[in-house]
Amino acid sequence: MFSKSGNDDKIQQFAKYIDDSHAIVAITGAGISISGGGVTYSQLSRSLRPGGFESESFLKSYVKTMHHYKPSLSHYALADLEREGKLIGVITTNEDCMHTIAGSQNVAEIQGSFQINRCKDCGKHYDGYEIWNQDELPKCEACGGTILPWELYSHIGLWDDGVRDAQRWISKADLIIVIGTNGYYGGAYWGYRRSDAVIVQINPGHTAFDRVADLNIREESDDVFKRVKNWRDKNA
């Protein structure tokens, strides 16, 4: 077990890294969404893979619950850092749009998301997650066809626009915060990082980032950001 004093020291060090940074990039996975119910949401998203439109029945049941999930404290904390001018972008494999809902503007959803949609019949694009805030599958205003998210219409593992944003942002970052992810698809952008960038990992478990992180914090991210905010407020 990690001692409380040891973790307190790590929280203070993390807070100092944030204060000293000018260009933060966060890399997030399913672990950031635990308190908002998004772990289930992310798992469901990954189940929505192309394979014929028998997936529509699954998608329909999924849509009935997806808009009831909420961003976690960690999502909001990253959005606050962006508004503060510290964070320049979020790179995520999550498809749940929770970073955007929490208020983040610069989000690279490298596997696509429910913000990237297309009619299965005529191909008309519908950007934005708001069309999913209903109990039924959204229909195309042009032809009446069913609108599908990236996962079902693309047949592609990575969204090129998101990858390009990820590469650009991480090349500028002086602090990289890795939250609740094992780095899946990291090969698409990780090699673009600055050699002098500080890396902080927040994850209760062990991952491949353990050996490259300057600081490993073995706690849930909501608890970490709550304590970091308290420390920064006291020392402002």
Side-chain angles (χ1 to χ4, degrees), residues 61-205:
S61 64
Y62 178 42
V63 167
K64 288 181 180 294
T65 58
M66 64 179 290
H67 57 277
H68 296 299
Y69 295 123
K70 304 296 182 185
S72 66
L73 184 152
S74 301
H75 289 106
Y76 288 114
L78 294 179
D80 287 342
L81 287 175
E82 183 182 78
R83 283 188 288 270
E84 190 180 335
K86 290 282 187 179
L87 186 140
I88 61 174
V90 175
I91 302 168
T92 188
T93 51
N94 294 341
E95 299 158 2
D96 54 18
C97 311
M98 289 297 156
H99 286 293
T100 300
I101 294 171
S104 291
Q105 299 295 311
N106 297 324
V107 184
E109 295 165 320
I110 63 172
Q111 286 187 271
S113 78
F114 280 76
Q115 300 195 86
I116 309 164
N117 310 291
R118 182 183 292 176
C119 173
K120 73 169 187 178
D121 294 331
C122 72
K124 181 177 174 63
H125 282 266
Y126 290 86
D127 294 332
Y129 64 86
E130 294 86 357
I131 65 170
W132 298 101
N133 289 340
Q134 53 186 299
D135 289 336
E136 298 295 325
L137 293 183
K139 298 295 183 180
C140 178
E141 61 186 15
C143 73
T146 300
I147 297 171
L148 298 176
W150 169 267
E151 298 92 320
L152 289 184
Y153 78 71
S154 68
H155 297 264
I156 300 172
L158 291 176
W159 183 43
D160 288 343
D161 289 354
V163 170
R164 282 192 288 268
D165 285 340
Q167 292 170 348
R168 185 174 75 255
W169 295 336
I170 204 167
S171 71
K172 300 176 182 178
D174 55 12
L175 173 61
I176 300 170
I177 308 172
V178 182
I179 306 169
T181 181
N182 60 9
Y184 194 50
Y185 283 134
Y189 60 82
W190 188 249
Y192 289 78
R193 74 188 186 282
R194 285 171 42 176
S195 60
D196 62 343
V198 173
I199 302 170
V200 175
Q201 177 180 221
I202 305 170
N203 200 318

